[in-house]
Amino acid sequence: MADSVTLSFRADTRNVGLARTVAAAMSARADLPLDQLEDVRLAVDEAVAQLIVDAPKTAQITCVFTIVDAELD
């Protein structure tokens, strides 16, 4: 069974922490080891920050975090 969370927010640097926090929470739900959890947080942080830099001010960013069989996509 899949467990999924969709997060949408305005392309604003103040929202990077929100995406990072949801990624960490979903990593914990997937029972990822602490080092992998930190890797996920860093990857989401970098990806969202780059999207914000490249996006128009009015853009919305959507992140979908899905857990399937103890894997986070």
Side-chain angles (χ1 to χ4, degrees):
M1 185 166 114
D3 185 10
S4 186
V5 170
T6 302
L7 175 67
S8 294
F9 51 88
R10 201 178 84 213
D12 186 307
T13 57
R14 294 176 288 188
N15 294 322
V16 173
L18 178 62
R20 189 175 48 237
T21 300
V22 172
M26 291 299 286
S27 296
R29 285 177 84 166
D31 292 325
L32 296 181
L34 186 57
D35 61 328
Q36 287 181 351
L37 184 146
E38 289 302 322
D39 289 345
V40 169
R41 284 173 44 102
L42 180 60
V44 168
D45 184 79
E46 290 177 1
V48 170
Q50 189 60 52
L51 286 171
I52 289 171
V53 167
D54 294 339
K57 296 281 186 209
T58 58
Q60 286 285 115
I61 294 175
T62 301
C63 302
V64 179
F65 302 94
T66 305
I67 300 169
V68 179
D69 298 328
E71 291 186 9
L72 179 63
D73 292 327

